[in-house]
Each structure stands twice: as structure tokens, then as C-alpha cells.
Amino acid sequence: MTPSWRKPVGMLAILTLILVWCIVIVSFSDVIGGWHWIAQLVFYVVTGIVWITPLKPLLRWMETGKWR
């Protein structure tokens, strides 16, 4: 059994996704810093969960080679 090239590529894609997502969210910190702390909490909880959404198809592709 030969190792698949999809797993290292998928891991790099996941790390890139996390990095880009963090940069995007941090770029809004000046605006969000002025919000009430409860609004900030909701924003960061939601954005902390939303980045997981594209992982399911990516992980499926890493395992099977199919997006669906």
C-alpha cells in the first residue's frame, strides 16, 4: 500500500485555512473591540465554530479522493 499524496496536501490546506481565517478575524479587531463584551463573545464563538464547516469535505477528500 503506497501512501496517498492527498493527506499531506490536505494537512497543508487545513493549516492554511486556519491561518487565513485567523488573519481575517483579527483584521476586524479594531471594530469588534468597541462592541459590548457580550457581542464580542458571540462574534468570537460563532467565528470560532464557522471555520470548521469546510473541513468535512476536505477530510472526506483526503480519505477517499472524492468531494461528495
Side-chain angles (χ1 to χ4, degrees):
M1 188 168 141
T2 59
S4 171
W5 59 271
R6 289 187 309 266
K7 289 192 181 186
V9 170
M11 286 187 278
L12 288 174
I14 290 171
L15 291 174
T16 304
L17 171 71
I18 293 170
L19 178 66
V20 169
W21 189 252
C22 289
I23 290 170
V24 168
I25 298 305
V26 168
S27 69
F28 292 113
S29 65
D30 290 337
V31 175
I32 297 164
W35 294 0
H36 190 269
W37 70 271
I38 293 176
Q40 289 183 33
L41 176 68
V42 170
F43 176 79
Y44 286 118
V45 167
V46 169
T47 56
I49 293 171
V50 167
W51 73 270
I52 298 170
T53 306
L55 287 184
K56 186 173 182 179
L58 180 60
L59 290 171
R60 187 178 310 120
W61 173 79
M62 287 170 60
E63 288 295 321
T64 64
K66 299 176 184 173
W67 288 105
R68 292 186 168 200

